[in-house]
Amino acid sequence: MEILKVQALRGPNIWSVQRKKLIQMRLDLQEMEQFPTNLIDGFRERIEQMFPSMIEHRCSEGVPGGFFSRIERGTWMGHVIEHIALEIQTLAGMETGFGRTRETKTPGIYNVVFSYTEENVGMFAATSAVSIAEALIANKPYDLDADIQKMREIRERVRLGPSTGSIVEEAVARDIPWIRLGTNSLVQLGYGVNQMRFQATITCKTSSIAVDIACNKEQTKRMLDLASIPVASGGICVNNDDLDTVIAKIGYPIVIKPLDGNHGKGASINVKNIEDARAGLLYAKTYSHRVIVEKFITGYDFRVLIIDNKLVAAAKREPAHVVGDGKNTIQELIEITNQDPKRGYGHENVLTQIDVDRDTTDLLEKLNYTLTTVPKAGETVYLKSTANLSTGGTSVDVTDMMHPENIFLCERISRVIGLDICGVDIMAENLTQPLKENGGCILEVNAAPGFRMHLAPSEGLPRNVAAPVIDMLYPPGKPSRIPIIAVTGTNGKTTTTRLLAHIVKNNGFKVGFTTSDGIYVQNHMMEKGDTTGPVSAEYILKDPTVEFAVLETARGGILRSGLGFSRCDIGIITNIQEDHLGLNDIHSLEDLARVKSTVVKSIKKDGWAILNAEDENCLKIANDLSCNIAYFSLDENNPIVQKFAKEGKIVAVYENGFITIKKGEWKIRVERATHVPLTLGGKARFMIANVLAATLASYLWGFKTEDISLSLQTFIPSVAQTPGRMNIFEFKKFKVLIDFAHNPSGYRGVEEYLQSVDASKKIGIIAGVGDRRDEDIKECAKIAGRMFDHIIIRQEKYLRGRTEDEIINLILEGIAESGRNVTHEIISKEVEAIKHAINNAQEGTFITALSDVVTNAINIVQEYLDKENESIVA
């Protein structure tokens, strides 16, 4: 078997709009296409032996063991690999269960689709599943444990930490969208102008000065002391002389830790002699030049979490330890402790496995112990000097046991330091008494405190400490999303998107939009190129200035990665016509419709799908939608439009020369088409269709008809507003039209417009695209033969696997099929073809350049026009 391609889908996609995180693997079964599982001796027994837990895979049977039954009866290897990929992720601690396997139009080649929780793990699972299947087929041994451990390691390397993850999960539960910014824990909640950012537990509301104070233990201690808050006595050391001075002042036992440290790194606890003190100083200085030395306070280690100046949780922490049984060595006790199902690799479980490191050996040395020592029964042997969960420590929730005075004290500390999310470390016998009574004190105040000990304590009540973070970032009434209108279809997407953006901007919004020629914010081009995929959509949604997004959404991006947004308010399908067929398993208009429908299936329930009533594939899509539906049509008498209008539903139609909104028997005539420059005096009917779609979307969003009308009148088709979309250049004796038409439907739109153009001669400059079907190349040429008197064929680009002669011959066949006596010539380079047409243009000639690189064509024509204007002025 051969993996042809593996890709990650990250948003609503053709397989599912709900399950956004999917791996899609294109797999060639090769000779295994001839061997379903029932023809492979012993396959059922081997896979069941390797994966006994697959008994839970119900498959299409709907009962436990259903998948094994399918194997027994015979199923193809793509289906088996789908189930293996899901199972190995689950065994690695990432439970997931959605899958689909479908054969493509090419026999033996399948799309194997399955869900993932971590993208990198999912990609690994795809290749691993194929290797496992091959080993099972060949009856060869396979180290499954190694793959599962590898997936765990990948997950720990790329996953969000438990604190960050908990905030994201709470946001998702509240329907707040999120975007991971890079590969670390920096996360954006919300879209556009309504976004909030956080990293770990530092938020965009966290004071930078407060973080600096918290990270400077000396400054923190001084501020707390001045605020009459109990702290441990001590001082700052950089050398042995300083150390001696501080010890002389406070005496033993002491704690030594880096001034700028965190998570207990570099700390030495309960130091009782000068030798250990100096060793501890050297150890701490590996993390920080300046070291803090404090009196060691006996008692228990408590962490109190304050969010938005309110106490939300408190936990008693205990360092990693083992309890002797009088039989086993310390090493054996560690191994027994790590077998606890609550412990896992990294952050996968409530507790982390205990590892032996320098801190462990130092602590054992102080007891004159080694890893081979057998502790007495009931003896507690501490293996870490700090109580961090990440090093194997445990926590007990004590939130409800805190004395009101201690609550007041901790909430006051958060204000003294100025942190919105604050972790206060306390050493005391308990928190049920005021600290001033039991002699407890504040050890540290932490910016970016970990949430894990509160989310999943080893004992006591779990606390949803992420909830108050979201409450702080998004108090009641504050929106997290911005309006999104997504535009898809075969033709007219870019023009409709630009017109909508113009309407939105004129209504006072700061609009960001994506098109096939670039990303724009408030009409400023941010990035140039075809930007109609999910990355470009995300670009707009990440921009903190954008209040409203209008996103052109093309087929390619949907197939490649899914949508770049979780849902939209309004989705538009302009039309579904022959284009890009035969590519990426899209062989028919039905296939193409399935791709385009992803956009309208992602509309929120009270949003609107705006569909072309004259397009049969749009009508079929409507049957599968759960949102509101509105239609537009160039024909007021279209049966669907009439049916909807009678039912009191809203439609947009072109009637008696007007762009009209219709509901029931009443009409709102928004504007006369001849007053809308985009329609070229009402002659470009396909442009009228684009105007109808944009007008209907604007009206349904809630814009006033008079504001829509004004925007329609002020949107001028030009190189600046609509590059490559019916751009007309008027020379003194002839005219040049540049348009992006590149498929039969686009050509027919230009043909319809040219029928209204009075010209002595119509010249067309055309080309074919190599990866289109033969019939599509010929059909475009046939239409060209009908609308032009003379054709210049140029073919320097987009051969895509064909020869230039092959494409030109198809074009010539198409021209011949037009039935007209059309002259032609071949000039390979587009630049030379346009120059030739202009240089030889006679009075009254109308030149049409159907260009796939509109910028080049526009620049050439503009250069000629500028020269003509300069000569007239001279």
Side-chain angles (χ1 to χ4, degrees):
M1 294 181 286
E2 181 184 3
I3 298 173
L4 303 178
K5 185 180 183 182
V6 183
Q7 63 196 89
L9 306 178
R10 305 178 187 93
N13 53 76
I14 61 171
W15 303 101
S16 173
V17 292
Q18 285 81 34
R19 297 174 179 87
K20 302 172 180 65
K21 298 167 70 173
L22 299 176
I23 297 295
Q24 180 177 320
M25 173 169 55
R26 191 173 178 83
L27 181 67
D28 186 351
L29 294 190
Q30 297 178 336
E31 70 275 7
M32 292 312 299
E33 173 67 5
Q34 309 305 319
F35 293 93
T37 52
N38 61 323
L39 299 183
I40 304 171
D41 289 340
F43 187 83
R44 156 74 190 265
E45 290 75 20
R46 291 194 292 275
I47 193 170
E48 194 166 359
Q49 183 180 7
M50 181 178 278
F51 298 107
S53 51
M54 271 192 181
I55 191 74
E56 297 299 327
H57 289 218
R58 295 170 176 259
C59 205
S60 57
E61 307 294 296
V63 295
F67 176 59
F68 287 145
S69 297
R70 288 289 305 276
I71 288 177
E72 190 73 35
R73 294 202 310 272
T75 188
W76 271 261
M77 204 48 61
H79 182 210
V80 173
I81 287 167
E82 168 205 321
H83 279 264
I84 293 175
L86 291 170
E87 185 62 16
I88 59 178
Q89 289 183 87
T90 298
L91 292 173
M94 292 157 278
E95 189 166 347
T96 187
F98 175 83
R100 292 284 184 273
T101 298
R102 298 289 182 268
E103 188 174 17
T104 68
K105 290 287 195 299
T106 307
I109 295 180
Y110 290 75
N111 281 317
V112 179
V113 178
F114 57 89
S115 54
Y116 65 86
T117 58
E118 292 293 340
E119 181 179 316
N120 291 31
V121 175
M123 299 289 274
F124 179 86
T127 56
S128 173
V130 174
S131 299
I132 291 168
E134 289 176 332
L136 288 169
I137 292 165
N139 193 15
K140 291 182 178 179
Y142 191 88
D143 191 348
L144 179 62
D145 290 340
D147 279 8
I148 290 173
Q149 179 60 24
K150 177 69 174 176
M151 286 190 283
R152 287 174 174 161
E153 291 170 2
I154 294 171
R155 177 197 57 198
E156 291 306 307
R157 190 171 67 246
V158 302
R159 76 185 298 185
L160 294 172
S163 302
T164 309
S166 70
I167 298 172
V168 167
E169 287 173 12
E170 181 65 22
V172 170
R174 300 189 191 194
D175 197 31
I176 296 172
W178 68 284
I179 301 171
R180 189 171 186 174
L181 304 175
T183 57
N184 55 20
S185 293
L186 182 61
V187 171
Q188 173 185 315
L189 299 178
Y191 289 152
V193 73
N194 292 323
Q195 68 181 263
M196 290 286 172
R197 296 175 187 163
F198 71 96
Q199 183 164 18
T201 56
I202 296 281
T203 77
C204 51
K205 290 179 172 288
T206 304
S207 162
S208 175
I209 293 175
V211 173
D212 284 345
I213 293 170
C215 289
N216 186 323
K217 292 179 174 58
E218 181 184 21
Q219 178 71 30
T220 300
K221 191 173 175 181
R222 185 183 306 116
M223 290 181 69
L224 295 181
D225 190 34
L226 290 172
S228 303
I229 294 167
V231 294
S233 56
I236 304 300
C237 302
V238 295
N239 54 42
N240 287 335
D241 290 341
D242 294 337
L243 181 66
D244 293 341
T245 302
V246 173
I247 291 173
K249 178 182 175 184
I250 65 175
Y252 293 108
I254 59 172
V255 176
I256 304 170
K257 52 190 175 183
L259 183 65
D260 304 321
N262 55 39
H263 301 299
K265 293 175 181 175
S268 298
I269 310 296
N270 197 16
V271 176
K272 297 178 179 177
N273 57 65
I274 192 65
E275 292 80 14
D276 290 344
R278 289 188 172 160
L281 177 65
L282 285 174
Y283 181 43
K285 283 177 70 67
T286 61
Y287 291 90
S288 173
H289 175 65
R290 303 174 76 205
V291 174
I292 190 165
V293 178
E294 294 176 338
K295 184 73 175 179
F296 177 67
I297 308 297
T298 58
Y300 295 102
D301 184 349
F302 294 96
R303 163 63 65 81
V304 178
L305 181 64
I306 312 293
I307 297 175
D308 202 16
N309 305 126
K310 299 179 185 68
L311 181 136
V312 297
K316 175 184 172 184
R317 303 186 295 178
E318 193 166 15
H321 63 276
V322 291
V323 178
D325 58 5
K327 300 175 184 177
N328 292 293
T329 66
I330 292 174
Q331 180 64 57
E332 289 167 342
L333 290 169
I334 292 173
E335 291 169 3
I336 293 168
T337 301
N338 283 341
Q339 289 173 10
D340 182 346
K342 289 184 179 180
R343 292 190 183 271
Y345 181 81
H347 296 307
E348 71 178 351
N349 285 340
V350 174
L351 300 174
T352 300
Q353 291 179 347
I354 300 171
D355 293 326
V356 175
D357 58 11
R358 179 190 179 279
D359 192 21
T360 308
T361 54
D362 285 353
L363 287 173
L364 293 178
E365 246 178 63
K366 290 176 183 178
L367 298 171
N368 292 319
Y369 285 0
T370 68
L371 291 171
T372 59
T373 301
V374 177
K376 299 174 186 175
E379 180 186 358
T380 299
V381 180
Y382 287 99
L383 304 169
K384 304 291 177 187
S385 55
T386 60
N388 296 85
L389 268 67
S390 58
T391 57
T394 58
S395 67
V396 178
D397 178 71
V398 296
T399 307
D400 297 331
M401 300 178 188
M402 281 193 72
H403 192 280
E405 190 165 320
N406 291 335
I407 294 174
F408 167 76
L409 181 73
C410 291
E411 291 180 347
R412 184 164 172 260
I413 287 170
S414 72
R415 291 184 183 275
V416 168
I417 303 302
L419 287 169
D420 59 338
I421 300 178
C422 175
V424 179
D425 288 345
I426 299 174
M427 183 65 72
E429 287 299 321
N430 59 66
L431 294 182
T432 58
Q433 295 175 287
L435 296 189
K436 63 185 179 184
E437 292 183 12
N438 64 20
C441 70
I442 308 303
L443 298 180
E444 287 183 10
V445 178
N446 298 276
F451 284 2
R452 186 179 174 204
M453 71 188 76
H454 308 295
L455 293 165
S458 42
E459 291 180 42
L461 284 175
R463 305 286 173 171
N464 181 7
V465 295
V469 176
I470 300 298
D471 291 339
M472 176 179 66
L473 297 177
Y474 289 100
K478 178 177 173 57
S480 62
R481 297 176 181 267
I482 60 173
I484 297 175
I485 299 179
V487 184
T488 193
T490 302
N491 296 315
K493 298 188 297 295
T494 300
T495 302
T496 304
T497 298
R498 283 180 166 276
L499 176 56
L500 270 167
H502 179 73
I503 295 170
V504 171
K505 183 175 183 292
N506 285 354
N507 276 272
F509 287 92
K510 291 182 174 66
V511 61
F513 60 99
T514 60
T515 70
S516 57
D517 51 74
I519 300 173
Y520 297 81
V521 175
Q522 283 294 84
N523 284 348
H524 295 279
M525 180 184 277
M526 302 289 104
E527 294 286 338
K528 187 176 183 179
D530 187 347
T531 58
T532 54
V535 173
S536 305
E538 196 172 90
Y539 182 105
I540 291 295
L541 299 177
K542 288 193 292 191
D543 191 300
T545 68
V546 172
E547 299 171 339
F548 202 121
V550 184
L551 306 173
E552 180 179 346
T553 308
R555 168 204 60 89
I558 298 172
L559 290 172
R560 187 168 57 252
S561 302
L563 299 179
F565 49 87
S566 55
R567 70 163 185 254
C568 56
D569 298 89
I570 296 176
I572 301 173
I573 301 182
T574 56
N575 47 68
I576 298 173
Q577 301 294 330
E578 298 91 343
D579 196 16
H580 299 285
L581 299 183
L583 303 174
N584 302 115
D585 299 324
I586 307 303
H587 298 280
S588 65
L589 284 178
E590 289 74 17
D591 293 338
L592 187 58
R594 187 165 67 97
V595 178
K596 303 290 186 183
S597 70
T598 305
V599 170
V600 288
K601 286 178 179 177
S602 72
I603 298 169
K604 64 180 186 178
K605 284 192 180 296
D606 60 346
W608 289 89
I610 295 176
L611 305 175
N612 189 333
E614 298 167 28
D615 192 300
E616 62 177 315
N617 287 292
C618 284
L619 301 181
K620 291 176 184 176
I621 288 171
N623 296 326
D624 297 328
L625 301 182
S626 57
C627 61
N628 298 306
I629 298 171
Y631 287 101
F632 66 93
S633 175
L634 289 166
D635 179 10
E636 184 185 9
N637 297 316
N638 178 284
I640 296 295
V641 164
Q642 288 189 326
K643 176 178 179 291
F644 258 56
K646 284 179 182 177
E647 293 172 358
K649 297 177 181 177
I650 298 171
V651 295
V653 295
Y654 178 52
E655 54 85 29
N656 294 315
F658 283 92
I659 306 297
T660 300
I661 300 292
K662 189 174 180 182
K663 183 178 181 181
E665 294 301 318
W666 57 262
K667 298 177 181 178
I668 302 176
R669 286 181 167 174
V670 179
E671 191 51 68
R672 188 180 289 276
T674 53
H675 294 173
V676 180
L678 191 58
T679 69
L680 303 182
K683 296 175 183 177
R685 285 178 61 84
F686 62 95
M687 284 296 190
I688 295 174
N690 296 335
V691 171
L692 286 171
T695 299
L696 183 54
S698 304
Y699 179 79
L700 291 172
W701 175 253
F703 295 139
K704 296 178 181 177
T705 52
E706 55 265 36
D707 293 332
I708 298 171
S709 172
L710 180 61
S711 295
L712 295 181
Q713 294 177 66
T714 55
F715 187 76
I716 312 298
S718 63
V719 170
Q721 288 273 43
T722 55
R725 274 72 185 175
M726 300 299 285
N727 299 146
I728 297 177
F729 300 81
E730 296 198 15
F731 289 78
K732 186 177 179 181
K733 295 183 179 181
F734 58 90
K735 295 179 181 178
V736 178
L737 165 68
I738 295 176
D739 192 78
F740 189 60
H742 57 280
N743 56 48
S745 178
Y747 270 57
R748 282 190 284 269
V750 174
E751 179 187 24
E752 186 178 21
Y753 169 72
L754 288 179
Q755 287 172 356
S756 65
V757 171
D758 185 21
S760 60
K761 187 175 185 180
K762 296 176 183 177
I763 297 174
I765 303 172
I766 68 170
V769 181
D771 61 2
R772 300 303 195 270
R773 300 179 305 175
D774 289 3
E775 56 264 42
D776 294 331
I777 297 173
K778 290 167 65 176
E779 180 63 18
C780 286
K782 181 179 178 181
I783 298 167
R786 293 201 303 256
M787 61 178 166
F788 297 128
D789 303 312
H790 178 73
I791 294 175
I792 300 173
I793 302 170
R794 53 98 190 159
Q795 196 63 52
E796 61 177 316
K797 295 181 179 179
Y798 303 108
L799 302 179
R800 295 175 181 172
R802 297 184 191 251
T803 64
E804 182 178 344
D805 288 342
E806 186 181 353
I807 298 174
I808 289 173
N809 287 335
L810 289 170
I811 292 172
L812 293 175
E813 286 180 36
I815 293 172
E817 289 177 9
S818 71
R820 294 183 65 228
N821 186 21
V822 181
T823 57
H824 73 270
E825 55 188 314
I826 299 170
I827 302 176
S828 292
K829 294 187 176 180
E830 181 179 40
V831 172
E832 299 304 320
I834 293 173
K835 287 181 177 179
H836 175 75
I838 291 176
N839 291 334
N840 291 279
Q842 299 172 356
E843 188 166 354
T845 298
F846 196 98
I847 301 168
T848 301
L850 301 180
S851 175
D852 36 29
V853 187
V854 294
T855 306
N856 292 349
I858 287 170
N859 290 341
I860 298 162
V861 177
Q862 190 66 55
E863 186 180 317
Y864 269 87
L865 187 60
D866 290 344
K867 286 180 181 177
E868 182 178 277
N869 291 335
E870 287 169 7
S871 65
I872 292 172
V873 172

